[in-house]
Amino acid sequence: MIYNITLIPGDGIGPEVMKAARDVINAAGVKINWEIVDAGEGVIEEYGTPLPDHVIDSIKRNKIAIKGPVTTPVGKGFRSVNVGLRQALNLYANVRPVKTYKGIPSRYDDVDLIIVRENTEDLYAGIEHNVGDSAAESIKIITKKASDRIVEFAFDLAKKQGRKKVTAVHKANIMKLSDGLFLKCAREVAESNKDIEFSDMIVDAMSMRLVQSPEKYDVLVMPNLYGDILSDMAAGLVGGLGVVPGANIGYDMAVFEAVHGSAPDIAGQNIANPTAAILTGVMMLKHLGEFEAAERIDKALSKVLEEGKILTFDLGGNAKTTEFTGEIIKKL
């Protein structure tokens, strides 16, 4: 079977790590027609927007996309391309597996959890305005529809992957209406999924528990902002953002993207670590049902990391991006 997949290289180190992911996937024997489209700051002059309509149209047509990081200006400039994609395509679930790999320096050696983040509302709905000249206001939106949907997704994911426990993360002790609604929905959905253990935890306590004993957690589900923060924190438990993949999933479309940023300071130097991009490709292949190829890539990457002979600079070695990628391909 030949798959039509949209590929967005991104900017900064995006084109380098996405080429690595594409090369590994091609070497694994999966037949893909890559439709390459650009988004981000580099296309604003031509299209007047960082997210042109033809990018959205490509994903709608192909149903599957994989993208590199796109720089988002802080405090000014254009809005996040990632947020725009999620909202335009109704990619309501952000999924970030966090797992330790032998050979990657970490304080832990047995982390294997998944963070499921609601993707369409909360403070990221983008409802903001100035209040006079001395204040600004952001509105937090939590709905029953989105809360039910994301918690049901988390339970379904737990069942598909043989997970045993779902934990809902919230701040309902303070935000009794908004987070209170999310927690109420989570508990109601849990009542219909009693074959999976359920618990809930306040977000600040969850932050502490993840640092103390991350091995105790399985699937965590939470509103948008908490998911953004905790998934980055959890990445720090296993070696950093450079080793954590991610996916944005909707009803009939999915966009796969690594968790890390665009790292413009090292762009073009052939020293970026493509691990997260490659693991994101593994997630995409599993989504497509190409489990055998996905498993071979994961094992080859794991072997290269464990051997520790050919690693990029951030992993403690001095190999180039292309050398690291080539070593993985050799072990497929």
Side-chain angles (χ1 to χ4, degrees):
M1 181 174 181
I2 300 176
Y3 301 95
N4 294 317
I5 293 176
T6 300
L7 188 149
I8 304 170
D11 51 35
I13 62 171
E16 297 167 74
V17 298
M18 294 313 298
K19 182 181 185 306
R22 183 176 57 172
D23 288 348
V24 170
I25 292 170
N26 289 341
V30 182
K31 304 298 183 184
I32 294 176
N33 174 34
W34 301 99
E35 184 176 343
I36 301 175
V37 293
D38 291 314
E41 190 172 19
V43 302
I44 293 178
E45 184 175 348
E46 182 176 358
Y47 296 102
T49 173
L51 187 57
D53 289 342
H54 70 267
V55 175
I56 299 292
D57 293 341
S58 173
I59 300 171
K60 286 181 177 179
R61 182 170 57 252
N62 294 327
K63 306 300 183 185
I64 300 289
I66 185 168
K67 68 175 287 295
V70 175
T71 304
T72 301
V74 177
K76 60 181 180 179
F78 60 84
R79 196 164 171 228
S80 166
V81 169
N82 293 339
V83 173
L85 280 172
R86 294 164 190 168
Q87 293 182 344
L89 301 172
N90 198 21
L91 304 174
Y92 66 88
N94 181 256
V95 182
R96 295 184 174 180
V98 180
K99 180 181 175 182
T100 47
Y101 280 85
K102 291 181 179 178
I104 294 180
S106 169
R107 296 177 183 271
Y108 308 90
D109 56 14
D110 52 1
V111 180
D112 186 6
L113 59 87
I114 301 174
I115 292 179
V116 176
R117 163 190 172 193
E118 203 288 319
N119 234 358
T120 64
E121 54 181 28
D122 194 6
L123 287 169
Y124 283 33
I127 305 174
E128 294 188 296
H129 58 270
N130 290 316
V131 182
D133 296 326
S134 59
E137 183 176 70
S138 294
I139 299 176
K140 178 184 175 89
I141 302 293
I142 298 288
T143 66
K144 175 174 172 51
K145 177 183 177 181
S147 299
D148 284 344
R149 180 173 62 182
I150 197 64
V151 179
E152 287 168 357
F153 181 96
F155 274 99
D156 288 344
L157 181 66
K159 291 174 184 178
K160 287 175 183 175
Q161 296 202 9
R163 303 274 178 162
K164 296 183 174 12
K165 181 178 180 180
V166 171
T167 303
V169 181
H170 59 88
K171 192 66 177 174
N173 58 323
I174 302 298
M175 285 170 277
K176 299 182 186 296
L177 297 183
S178 56
D179 281 31
L181 175 59
F182 176 83
L183 178 58
K184 179 175 181 290
C185 292
R187 287 172 173 169
E188 289 174 350
V189 172
E191 281 296 308
S192 302
N193 293 275
K194 290 192 173 181
D195 50 332
I196 300 288
E197 182 185 349
F198 173 75
S199 65
D200 70 85
M201 188 170 293
I202 296 170
V203 63
D204 40 335
M206 187 77 250
S207 300
M208 179 187 70
R209 296 288 181 85
L210 278 178
V211 172
Q212 288 181 324
S213 49
E215 74 282 353
K216 292 182 179 179
Y217 298 96
D218 211 348
V219 176
L220 309 180
V221 60
M222 61 200 75
N224 207 335
L225 178 62
Y226 308 147
D228 192 8
I229 295 169
L230 286 191
S231 60
D232 277 19
M233 191 191 82
L237 306 177
V238 298
L241 297 176
V243 297
V244 177
N248 300 288
I249 300 173
Y251 293 108
D252 63 346
M253 285 177 278
V255 176
F256 295 83
E257 60 177 342
V259 173
H260 62 73
S262 57
D265 56 317
I266 63 169
Q269 299 177 45
N270 195 25
I271 61 173
N273 174 14
T275 297
I278 292 168
L279 288 174
T280 297
V282 169
M283 285 186 75
M284 183 185 73
L285 292 179
K286 289 180 179 178
H287 183 82
L288 293 170
E290 295 285 347
F291 297 106
E292 188 272 337
E295 187 66 19
R296 280 196 291 119
I297 293 172
D298 190 57
K299 285 183 177 178
L301 173 60
S302 298
K303 195 165 187 180
V304 172
L305 293 172
E306 188 172 0
E307 286 178 353
K309 295 176 182 178
I310 299 179
L311 301 175
T312 52
F313 177 78
D314 64 311
L315 296 175
N318 56 14
K320 299 294 187 181
T321 307
T322 48
E323 293 170 338
F324 179 75
T325 305
E327 189 66 14
I328 295 168
I329 292 172
K330 285 180 187 176
K331 296 185 185 301
L332 286 173

